[in-house]
PDB file of all heavy atoms in Angstrom:
ATOM      1  N   TRP V  15     -36.478 -20.528  57.445  1.00  0.00           N
ATOM      2  CA  TRP V  15     -35.266 -19.708  57.352  1.00  0.00           C
ATOM      3  C   TRP V  15     -35.232 -18.997  56.009  1.00  0.00           C
ATOM      4  O   TRP V  15     -35.594 -19.574  54.968  1.00  0.00           O
ATOM      5  CB  TRP V  15     -34.020 -20.581  57.506  1.00  0.00           C
ATOM      6  CG  TRP V  15     -32.787 -19.775  57.777  1.00  0.00           C
ATOM      7  CD1 TRP V  15     -32.411 -19.248  58.988  1.00  0.00           C
ATOM      8  CD2 TRP V  15     -31.781 -19.398  56.837  1.00  0.00           C
ATOM      9  NE1 TRP V  15     -31.228 -18.558  58.847  1.00  0.00           N
ATOM     10  CE2 TRP V  15     -30.816 -18.631  57.540  1.00  0.00           C
ATOM     11  CE3 TRP V  15     -31.591 -19.620  55.479  1.00  0.00           C
ATOM     12  CZ2 TRP V  15     -29.686 -18.104  56.932  1.00  0.00           C
ATOM     13  CZ3 TRP V  15     -30.462 -19.087  54.869  1.00  0.00           C
ATOM     14  CH2 TRP V  15     -29.518 -18.343  55.597  1.00  0.00           C
ATOM     15  N   GLY V  52     -22.598 -18.932  46.692  1.00  0.00           N
ATOM     16  CA  GLY V  52     -22.043 -19.905  47.639  1.00  0.00           C
ATOM     17  C   GLY V  52     -23.075 -20.447  48.603  1.00  0.00           C
ATOM     18  O   GLY V  52     -22.845 -21.473  49.244  1.00  0.00           O
ATOM     19  N   MET V  53     -24.220 -19.758  48.743  1.00  0.00           N
ATOM     20  CA  MET V  53     -25.275 -20.283  49.633  1.00  0.00           C
ATOM     21  C   MET V  53     -26.229 -21.137  48.795  1.00  0.00           C
ATOM     22  O   MET V  53     -26.612 -20.747  47.685  1.00  0.00           O
ATOM     23  CB  MET V  53     -26.037 -19.135  50.272  1.00  0.00           C
ATOM     24  CG  MET V  53     -27.113 -19.600  51.234  1.00  0.00           C
ATOM     25  SD  MET V  53     -28.040 -18.201  51.881  1.00  0.00           S
ATOM     26  CE  MET V  53     -26.798 -17.476  52.936  1.00  0.00           C
ATOM     27  N   SER V  54     -26.606 -22.288  49.337  1.00  0.00           N
ATOM     28  CA  SER V  54     -27.349 -23.259  48.514  1.00  0.00           C
ATOM     29  C   SER V  54     -28.646 -23.700  49.176  1.00  0.00           C
ATOM     30  O   SER V  54     -28.921 -23.392  50.345  1.00  0.00           O
ATOM     31  CB  SER V  54     -26.475 -24.490  48.280  1.00  0.00           C
ATOM     32  OG  SER V  54     -26.436 -25.247  49.487  1.00  0.00           O
ATOM     33  N   THR V  55     -29.386 -24.500  48.446  1.00  0.00           N
ATOM     34  CA  THR V  55     -30.621 -25.108  48.953  1.00  0.00           C
ATOM     35  C   THR V  55     -30.331 -25.960  50.195  1.00  0.00           C
ATOM     36  O   THR V  55     -31.076 -25.918  51.168  1.00  0.00           O
ATOM     37  CB  THR V  55     -31.260 -25.963  47.835  1.00  0.00           C
ATOM     38  OG1 THR V  55     -31.681 -25.073  46.794  1.00  0.00           O
ATOM     39  CG2 THR V  55     -32.449 -26.755  48.337  1.00  0.00           C
ATOM     40  N   VAL V  56     -29.223 -26.716  50.167  1.00  0.00           N
ATOM     41  CA  VAL V  56     -28.888 -27.550  51.325  1.00  0.00           C
ATOM     42  C   VAL V  56     -28.611 -26.658  52.542  1.00  0.00           C
ATOM     43  O   VAL V  56     -29.095 -26.921  53.655  1.00  0.00           O
ATOM     44  CB  VAL V  56     -27.684 -28.481  51.032  1.00  0.00           C
ATOM     45  CG1 VAL V  56     -27.156 -29.122  52.315  1.00  0.00           C
ATOM     46  CG2 VAL V  56     -28.087 -29.561  50.024  1.00  0.00           C
ATOM     47  N   ASP V  57     -27.852 -25.560  52.331  1.00  0.00           N
ATOM     48  CA  ASP V  57     -27.550 -24.656  53.455  1.00  0.00           C
ATOM     49  C   ASP V  57     -28.845 -24.139  54.093  1.00  0.00           C
ATOM     50  O   ASP V  57     -28.990 -24.124  55.320  1.00  0.00           O
ATOM     51  CB  ASP V  57     -26.729 -23.450  52.976  1.00  0.00           C
ATOM     52  CG  ASP V  57     -25.366 -23.845  52.417  1.00  0.00           C
ATOM     53  OD1 ASP V  57     -24.824 -24.873  52.861  1.00  0.00           O
ATOM     54  OD2 ASP V  57     -24.854 -23.119  51.543  1.00  0.00           O
ATOM     55  N   MET V  58     -29.782 -23.700  53.250  1.00  0.00           N
ATOM     56  CA  MET V  58     -31.047 -23.157  53.785  1.00  0.00           C
ATOM     57  C   MET V  58     -31.856 -24.258  54.468  1.00  0.00           C
ATOM     58  O   MET V  58     -32.476 -24.030  55.509  1.00  0.00           O
ATOM     59  CB  MET V  58     -31.867 -22.533  52.645  1.00  0.00           C
ATOM     60  CG  MET V  58     -31.223 -21.306  52.030  1.00  0.00           C
ATOM     61  SD  MET V  58     -32.364 -20.413  50.936  1.00  0.00           S
ATOM     62  CE  MET V  58     -32.554 -21.564  49.581  1.00  0.00           C
ATOM     63  N   SER V  59     -31.833 -25.449  53.878  1.00  0.00           N
ATOM     64  CA  SER V  59     -32.604 -26.578  54.433  1.00  0.00           C
ATOM     65  C   SER V  59     -32.105 -26.965  55.819  1.00  0.00           C
ATOM     66  O   SER V  59     -32.903 -27.336  56.695  1.00  0.00           O
ATOM     67  CB  SER V  59     -32.488 -27.808  53.523  1.00  0.00           C
ATOM     68  OG  SER V  59     -32.979 -27.527  52.245  1.00  0.00           O
ATOM     69  N   VAL V  60     -30.781 -26.910  56.004  1.00  0.00           N
ATOM     70  CA  VAL V  60     -30.200 -27.268  57.307  1.00  0.00           C
ATOM     71  C   VAL V  60     -30.686 -26.274  58.369  1.00  0.00           C
ATOM     72  O   VAL V  60     -31.053 -26.665  59.490  1.00  0.00           O
ATOM     73  CB  VAL V  60     -28.656 -27.305  57.211  1.00  0.00           C
ATOM     74  CG1 VAL V  60     -28.017 -27.401  58.587  1.00  0.00           C
ATOM     75  CG2 VAL V  60     -28.219 -28.480  56.328  1.00  0.00           C
ATOM     76  N   GLU V  61     -30.735 -24.990  58.020  1.00  0.00           N
ATOM     77  CA  GLU V  61     -31.212 -23.971  58.967  1.00  0.00           C
ATOM     78  C   GLU V  61     -32.676 -24.213  59.332  1.00  0.00           C
ATOM     79  O   GLU V  61     -33.050 -24.231  60.503  1.00  0.00           O
ATOM     80  CB  GLU V  61     -31.068 -22.568  58.365  1.00  0.00           C
ATOM     81  CG  GLU V  61     -29.631 -22.137  58.102  1.00  0.00           C
ATOM     82  CD  GLU V  61     -28.880 -21.809  59.391  1.00  0.00           C
ATOM     83  OE1 GLU V  61     -29.514 -21.693  60.453  1.00  0.00           O
ATOM     84  OE2 GLU V  61     -27.642 -21.690  59.314  1.00  0.00           O
ATOM     85  N   ALA V  62     -33.522 -24.388  58.310  1.00  0.00           N
ATOM     86  CA  ALA V  62     -34.962 -24.574  58.567  1.00  0.00           C
ATOM     87  C   ALA V  62     -35.216 -25.911  59.267  1.00  0.00           C
ATOM     88  O   ALA V  62     -36.017 -25.998  60.208  1.00  0.00           O
ATOM     89  CB  ALA V  62     -35.742 -24.512  57.260  1.00  0.00           C
ATOM     90  N   GLY V  63     -34.507 -26.954  58.794  1.00  0.00           N
ATOM     91  CA  GLY V  63     -34.692 -28.292  59.373  1.00  0.00           C
ATOM     92  C   GLY V  63     -34.288 -28.336  60.836  1.00  0.00           C
ATOM     93  O   GLY V  63     -34.971 -28.959  61.661  1.00  0.00           O
ATOM     94  N   GLY V  64     -33.184 -27.682  61.179  1.00  0.00           N
ATOM     95  CA  GLY V  64     -32.728 -27.632  62.578  1.00  0.00           C
ATOM     96  C   GLY V  64     -33.779 -26.972  63.460  1.00  0.00           C
ATOM     97  O   GLY V  64     -34.064 -27.435  64.573  1.00  0.00           O
ATOM     98  N   ARG V  65     -34.384 -25.891  62.955  1.00  0.00           N
ATOM     99  CA  ARG V  65     -35.434 -25.211  63.725  1.00  0.00           C
ATOM    100  C   ARG V  65     -36.655 -26.116  63.912  1.00  0.00           C
ATOM    101  O   ARG V  65     -37.277 -26.135  64.984  1.00  0.00           O
ATOM    102  CB  ARG V  65     -35.847 -23.916  63.020  1.00  0.00           C
ATOM    103  CG  ARG V  65     -34.842 -22.795  63.211  1.00  0.00           C
ATOM    104  CD  ARG V  65     -35.108 -21.652  62.229  1.00  0.00           C
ATOM    105  NE  ARG V  65     -34.369 -20.448  62.554  1.00  0.00           N
ATOM    106  CZ  ARG V  65     -33.069 -20.266  62.353  1.00  0.00           C
ATOM    107  NH1 ARG V  65     -32.343 -21.242  61.840  1.00  0.00           N
ATOM    108  NH2 ARG V  65     -32.491 -19.126  62.685  1.00  0.00           N
ATOM    109  N   LEU V  67     -36.688 -29.416  63.988  1.00  0.00           N
ATOM    110  CA  LEU V  67     -36.358 -30.468  64.954  1.00  0.00           C
ATOM    111  C   LEU V  67     -36.428 -29.932  66.383  1.00  0.00           C
ATOM    112  O   LEU V  67     -36.973 -30.577  67.280  1.00  0.00           O
ATOM    113  CB  LEU V  67     -34.953 -31.036  64.679  1.00  0.00           C
ATOM    114  CG  LEU V  67     -34.797 -31.873  63.408  1.00  0.00           C
ATOM    115  CD1 LEU V  67     -33.324 -32.209  63.159  1.00  0.00           C
ATOM    116  CD2 LEU V  67     -35.611 -33.163  63.502  1.00  0.00           C
ATOM    117  N   ARG V  68     -35.909 -28.712  66.593  1.00  0.00           N
ATOM    118  CA  ARG V  68     -35.980 -28.113  67.938  1.00  0.00           C
ATOM    119  C   ARG V  68     -37.433 -27.856  68.318  1.00  0.00           C
ATOM    120  O   ARG V  68     -37.833 -28.073  69.460  1.00  0.00           O
ATOM    121  CB  ARG V  68     -35.183 -26.799  67.987  1.00  0.00           C
ATOM    122  CG  ARG V  68     -33.679 -27.007  67.994  1.00  0.00           C
ATOM    123  CD  ARG V  68     -32.954 -25.769  68.474  1.00  0.00           C
ATOM    124  NE  ARG V  68     -33.058 -24.640  67.556  1.00  0.00           N
ATOM    125  CZ  ARG V  68     -32.294 -24.476  66.464  1.00  0.00           C
ATOM    126  NH1 ARG V  68     -31.372 -25.375  66.153  1.00  0.00           N
ATOM    127  NH2 ARG V  68     -32.436 -23.412  65.701  1.00  0.00           N
ATOM    128  N   GLU V  73     -34.255 -35.161  68.497  1.00  0.00           N
ATOM    129  CA  GLU V  73     -32.878 -35.162  67.999  1.00  0.00           C
ATOM    130  C   GLU V  73     -32.714 -36.074  66.806  1.00  0.00           C
ATOM    131  O   GLU V  73     -31.839 -35.873  65.981  1.00  0.00           O
ATOM    132  CB  GLU V  73     -31.916 -35.578  69.118  1.00  0.00           C
ATOM    133  CG  GLU V  73     -31.838 -34.500  70.166  1.00  0.00           C
ATOM    134  CD  GLU V  73     -30.686 -34.667  71.109  1.00  0.00           C
ATOM    135  OE1 GLU V  73     -30.032 -35.730  71.082  1.00  0.00           O
ATOM    136  OE2 GLU V  73     -30.461 -33.729  71.890  1.00  0.00           O
ATOM    137  N   ARG V  74     -33.576 -37.110  66.744  1.00  0.00           N
ATOM    138  CA  ARG V  74     -33.444 -38.092  65.665  1.00  0.00           C
ATOM    139  C   ARG V  74     -34.758 -38.256  64.919  1.00  0.00           C
ATOM    140  O   ARG V  74     -35.826 -38.231  65.522  1.00  0.00           O
ATOM    141  CB  ARG V  74     -33.063 -39.467  66.243  1.00  0.00           C
ATOM    142  CG  ARG V  74     -31.721 -39.516  66.934  1.00  0.00           C
ATOM    143  CD  ARG V  74     -30.559 -39.471  65.964  1.00  0.00           C
ATOM    144  NE  ARG V  74     -30.579 -40.579  65.010  1.00  0.00           N
ATOM    145  CZ  ARG V  74     -29.839 -40.630  63.898  1.00  0.00           C
ATOM    146  NH1 ARG V  74     -29.031 -39.631  63.589  1.00  0.00           N
ATOM    147  NH2 ARG V  74     -29.895 -41.674  63.090  1.00  0.00           N
ATOM    148  N   VAL V  75     -34.658 -38.405  63.594  1.00  0.00           N
ATOM    149  CA  VAL V  75     -35.830 -38.795  62.793  1.00  0.00           C
ATOM    150  C   VAL V  75     -35.435 -40.015  61.965  1.00  0.00           C
ATOM    151  O   VAL V  75     -34.248 -40.307  61.794  1.00  0.00           O
ATOM    152  CB  VAL V  75     -36.307 -37.653  61.857  1.00  0.00           C
ATOM    153  CG1 VAL V  75     -36.926 -36.506  62.639  1.00  0.00           C
ATOM    154  CG2 VAL V  75     -35.183 -37.181  60.943  1.00  0.00           C
ATOM    155  N   VAL V  78     -35.728 -38.142  56.073  1.00  0.00           N
ATOM    156  CA  VAL V  78     -35.708 -36.726  55.679  1.00  0.00           C
ATOM    157  C   VAL V  78     -36.196 -36.662  54.234  1.00  0.00           C
ATOM    158  O   VAL V  78     -35.604 -37.279  53.339  1.00  0.00           O
ATOM    159  CB  VAL V  78     -34.290 -36.132  55.783  1.00  0.00           C
ATOM    160  CG1 VAL V  78     -34.260 -34.700  55.266  1.00  0.00           C
ATOM    161  CG2 VAL V  78     -33.782 -36.192  57.230  1.00  0.00           C
ATOM    162  N   ASP V  86     -28.715 -28.949  45.111  1.00  0.00           N
ATOM    163  CA  ASP V  86     -27.365 -28.383  45.009  1.00  0.00           C
ATOM    164  C   ASP V  86     -26.651 -28.849  43.750  1.00  0.00           C
ATOM    165  O   ASP V  86     -25.861 -28.116  43.165  1.00  0.00           O
ATOM    166  CB  ASP V  86     -26.537 -28.753  46.255  1.00  0.00           C
ATOM    167  CG  ASP V  86     -26.882 -27.859  47.437  1.00  0.00           C
ATOM    168  OD1 ASP V  86     -28.002 -27.295  47.462  1.00  0.00           O
ATOM    169  OD2 ASP V  86     -26.028 -27.717  48.339  1.00  0.00           O
ATOM    170  N   GLN V  87     -26.898 -30.091  43.359  1.00  0.00           N
ATOM    171  CA  GLN V  87     -26.348 -30.637  42.105  1.00  0.00           C
ATOM    172  C   GLN V  87     -27.451 -31.424  41.406  1.00  0.00           C
ATOM    173  O   GLN V  87     -28.359 -31.916  42.083  1.00  0.00           O
ATOM    174  CB  GLN V  87     -25.181 -31.611  42.369  1.00  0.00           C
ATOM    175  CG  GLN V  87     -24.014 -31.066  43.168  1.00  0.00           C
ATOM    176  CD  GLN V  87     -24.161 -31.253  44.675  1.00  0.00           C
ATOM    177  OE1 GLN V  87     -24.982 -32.025  45.133  1.00  0.00           O
ATOM    178  NE2 GLN V  87     -23.362 -30.537  45.442  1.00  0.00           N
ATOM    179  N   SER V  92     -30.292 -33.931  47.150  1.00  0.00           N
ATOM    180  CA  SER V  92     -29.737 -33.082  48.215  1.00  0.00           C
ATOM    181  C   SER V  92     -30.132 -33.534  49.616  1.00  0.00           C
ATOM    182  O   SER V  92     -29.458 -33.191  50.592  1.00  0.00           O
ATOM    183  CB  SER V  92     -30.185 -31.628  48.005  1.00  0.00           C
ATOM    184  OG  SER V  92     -29.532 -31.078  46.890  1.00  0.00           O
ATOM    185  N   ALA V  93     -31.219 -34.297  49.740  1.00  0.00           N
ATOM    186  CA  ALA V  93     -31.711 -34.671  51.071  1.00  0.00           C
ATOM    187  C   ALA V  93     -30.668 -35.405  51.922  1.00  0.00           C
ATOM    188  O   ALA V  93     -30.559 -35.129  53.120  1.00  0.00           O
ATOM    189  CB  ALA V  93     -32.989 -35.507  50.946  1.00  0.00           C
ATOM    190  N   PRO V  94     -29.861 -36.336  51.351  1.00  0.00           N
ATOM    191  CA  PRO V  94     -28.869 -37.006  52.201  1.00  0.00           C
ATOM    192  C   PRO V  94     -27.866 -36.020  52.806  1.00  0.00           C
ATOM    193  O   PRO V  94     -27.421 -36.205  53.954  1.00  0.00           O
ATOM    194  CB  PRO V  94     -28.188 -37.986  51.239  1.00  0.00           C
ATOM    195  CG  PRO V  94     -29.231 -38.281  50.203  1.00  0.00           C
ATOM    196  CD  PRO V  94     -29.949 -36.973  50.017  1.00  0.00           C
ATOM    197  N   GLN V  95     -27.505 -34.961  52.052  1.00  0.00           N
ATOM    198  CA  GLN V  95     -26.577 -33.957  52.604  1.00  0.00           C
ATOM    199  C   GLN V  95     -27.243 -33.182  53.733  1.00  0.00           C
ATOM    200  O   GLN V  95     -26.607 -32.849  54.740  1.00  0.00           O
ATOM    201  CB  GLN V  95     -26.127 -32.999  51.503  1.00  0.00           C
ATOM    202  CG  GLN V  95     -25.344 -33.698  50.386  1.00  0.00           C
ATOM    203  CD  GLN V  95     -25.284 -32.849  49.121  1.00  0.00           C
ATOM    204  OE1 GLN V  95     -24.772 -31.741  49.123  1.00  0.00           O
ATOM    205  NE2 GLN V  95     -25.822 -33.370  48.029  1.00  0.00           N
ATOM    206  N   VAL V  96     -28.529 -32.885  53.575  1.00  0.00           N
ATOM    207  CA  VAL V  96     -29.268 -32.199  54.643  1.00  0.00           C
ATOM    208  C   VAL V  96     -29.310 -33.097  55.880  1.00  0.00           C
ATOM    209  O   VAL V  96     -29.022 -32.658  56.997  1.00  0.00           O
ATOM    210  CB  VAL V  96     -30.709 -31.859  54.184  1.00  0.00           C
ATOM    211  CG1 VAL V  96     -31.516 -31.256  55.329  1.00  0.00           C
ATOM    212  CG2 VAL V  96     -30.686 -30.919  52.980  1.00  0.00           C
ATOM    213  N   ALA V  97     -29.630 -34.371  55.665  1.00  0.00           N
ATOM    214  CA  ALA V  97     -29.720 -35.320  56.784  1.00  0.00           C
ATOM    215  C   ALA V  97     -28.382 -35.409  57.522  1.00  0.00           C
ATOM    216  O   ALA V  97     -28.324 -35.310  58.746  1.00  0.00           O
ATOM    217  CB  ALA V  97     -30.142 -36.697  56.263  1.00  0.00           C
ATOM    218  N   SER V  98     -27.291 -35.565  56.755  1.00  0.00           N
ATOM    219  CA  SER V  98     -25.961 -35.674  57.374  1.00  0.00           C
ATOM    220  C   SER V  98     -25.631 -34.457  58.206  1.00  0.00           C
ATOM    221  O   SER V  98     -25.177 -34.565  59.343  1.00  0.00           O
ATOM    222  CB  SER V  98     -24.896 -35.771  56.290  1.00  0.00           C
ATOM    223  OG  SER V  98     -24.574 -37.065  56.049  1.00  0.00           O
ATOM    224  N   ARG V  99     -25.836 -33.294  57.612  1.00  0.00           N
ATOM    225  CA  ARG V  99     -25.466 -32.057  58.324  1.00  0.00           C
ATOM    226  C   ARG V  99     -26.336 -31.812  59.547  1.00  0.00           C
ATOM    227  O   ARG V  99     -25.972 -31.048  60.430  1.00  0.00           O
ATOM    228  CB  ARG V  99     -25.477 -30.871  57.358  1.00  0.00           C
ATOM    229  CG  ARG V  99     -24.206 -30.884  56.495  1.00  0.00           C
ATOM    230  CD  ARG V  99     -24.154 -29.798  55.481  1.00  0.00           C
ATOM    231  NE  ARG V  99     -24.413 -28.475  56.009  1.00  0.00           N
ATOM    232  CZ  ARG V  99     -24.529 -27.391  55.243  1.00  0.00           C
ATOM    233  NH1 ARG V  99     -24.383 -27.494  53.932  1.00  0.00           N
ATOM    234  NH2 ARG V  99     -24.764 -26.221  55.788  1.00  0.00           N
ATOM    235  N   LEU V 100     -27.508 -32.449  59.601  1.00  0.00           N
ATOM    236  CA  LEU V 100     -28.362 -32.333  60.792  1.00  0.00           C
ATOM    237  C   LEU V 100     -28.131 -33.489  61.765  1.00  0.00           C
ATOM    238  O   LEU V 100     -28.887 -33.680  62.711  1.00  0.00           O
ATOM    239  CB  LEU V 100     -29.841 -32.285  60.375  1.00  0.00           C
ATOM    240  CG  LEU V 100     -30.286 -30.965  59.742  1.00  0.00           C
ATOM    241  CD1 LEU V 100     -31.678 -31.117  59.138  1.00  0.00           C
ATOM    242  CD2 LEU V 100     -30.268 -29.831  60.773  1.00  0.00           C
ATOM    243  N   GLY V 101     -27.075 -34.276  61.513  1.00  0.00           N
ATOM    244  CA  GLY V 101     -26.754 -35.379  62.418  1.00  0.00           C
ATOM    245  C   GLY V 101     -27.662 -36.581  62.250  1.00  0.00           C
ATOM    246  O   GLY V 101     -27.795 -37.401  63.160  1.00  0.00           O
ATOM    247  N   GLN V 102     -28.303 -36.708  61.071  1.00  0.00           N
ATOM    248  CA  GLN V 102     -29.248 -37.819  60.825  1.00  0.00           C
ATOM    249  C   GLN V 102     -28.641 -38.765  59.795  1.00  0.00           C
ATOM    250  O   GLN V 102     -29.276 -39.104  58.789  1.00  0.00           O
ATOM    251  CB  GLN V 102     -30.587 -37.279  60.283  1.00  0.00           C
ATOM    252  CG  GLN V 102     -31.150 -36.116  61.020  1.00  0.00           C
ATOM    253  CD  GLN V 102     -31.603 -36.493  62.420  1.00  0.00           C
ATOM    254  OE1 GLN V 102     -32.130 -37.581  62.625  1.00  0.00           O
ATOM    255  NE2 GLN V 102     -31.386 -35.606  63.375  1.00  0.00           N
ATOM    256  N   ARG V 103     -27.368 -39.191  60.029  1.00  0.00           N
ATOM    257  CA  ARG V 103     -26.623 -39.876  58.978  1.00  0.00           C
ATOM    258  C   ARG V 103     -27.262 -41.184  58.508  1.00  0.00           C
ATOM    259  O   ARG V 103     -27.157 -41.530  57.351  1.00  0.00           O
ATOM    260  CB  ARG V 103     -25.182 -40.108  59.434  1.00  0.00           C
ATOM    261  CG  ARG V 103     -24.270 -40.423  58.299  1.00  0.00           C
ATOM    262  CD  ARG V 103     -22.829 -40.257  58.669  1.00  0.00           C
ATOM    263  NE  ARG V 103     -22.471 -38.866  58.894  1.00  0.00           N
ATOM    264  CZ  ARG V 103     -21.330 -38.484  59.437  1.00  0.00           C
ATOM    265  NH1 ARG V 103     -20.458 -39.363  59.816  1.00  0.00           N
ATOM    266  NH2 ARG V 103     -21.062 -37.207  59.593  1.00  0.00           N
ATOM    267  N   ASP V 104     -27.952 -41.890  59.392  1.00  0.00           N
ATOM    268  CA  ASP V 104     -28.527 -43.184  58.986  1.00  0.00           C
ATOM    269  C   ASP V 104     -29.941 -43.072  58.439  1.00  0.00           C
ATOM    270  O   ASP V 104     -30.514 -44.063  57.987  1.00  0.00           O
ATOM    271  CB  ASP V 104     -28.586 -44.146  60.187  1.00  0.00           C
ATOM    272  CG  ASP V 104     -27.192 -44.533  60.635  1.00  0.00           C
ATOM    273  OD1 ASP V 104     -26.274 -44.467  59.798  1.00  0.00           O
ATOM    274  OD2 ASP V 104     -27.042 -44.895  61.812  1.00  0.00           O
ATOM    275  N   ALA V 105     -30.514 -41.879  58.495  1.00  0.00           N
ATOM    276  CA  ALA V 105     -31.930 -41.748  58.117  1.00  0.00           C
ATOM    277  C   ALA V 105     -32.117 -41.974  56.619  1.00  0.00           C
ATOM    278  O   ALA V 105     -31.233 -41.656  55.817  1.00  0.00           O
ATOM    279  CB  ALA V 105     -32.425 -40.351  58.499  1.00  0.00           C
ATOM    280  N   ALA V 107     -33.276 -40.773  53.152  1.00  0.00           N
ATOM    281  CA  ALA V 107     -33.299 -39.369  52.713  1.00  0.00           C
ATOM    282  C   ALA V 107     -33.402 -39.315  51.197  1.00  0.00           C
ATOM    283  O   ALA V 107     -32.625 -39.954  50.493  1.00  0.00           O
ATOM    284  CB  ALA V 107     -32.039 -38.639  53.192  1.00  0.00           C
ATOM    285  N   LEU V 137     -38.666 -35.741  58.985  1.00  0.00           N
ATOM    286  CA  LEU V 137     -38.424 -34.314  58.751  1.00  0.00           C
ATOM    287  C   LEU V 137     -38.747 -34.019  57.284  1.00  0.00           C
ATOM    288  O   LEU V 137     -38.188 -34.645  56.378  1.00  0.00           O
ATOM    289  CB  LEU V 137     -36.961 -33.968  59.046  1.00  0.00           C
ATOM    290  CG  LEU V 137     -36.556 -32.522  58.735  1.00  0.00           C
ATOM    291  CD1 LEU V 137     -37.300 -31.524  59.625  1.00  0.00           C
ATOM    292  CD2 LEU V 137     -35.040 -32.344  58.896  1.00  0.00           C
TER     293      LEU V 137
END
Side-chain angles (χ1 to χ4, degrees):
W15 195 80
M53 182 183 289
S54 74
T55 294
V56 168
D57 297 331
M58 294 192 292
S59 300
V60 169
E61 296 287 348
R65 283 166 168 75
L67 290 172
R68 286 198 292 278
E73 290 194 350
R74 296 287 301 166
V75 290
V78 175
D86 281 24
Q87 304 90 15
S92 289
Q95 297 162 60
V96 175
S98 264
R99 282 177 51 186
L100 286 169
Q102 313 292 323
R103 197 163 292 169
D104 293 335
L137 176 64

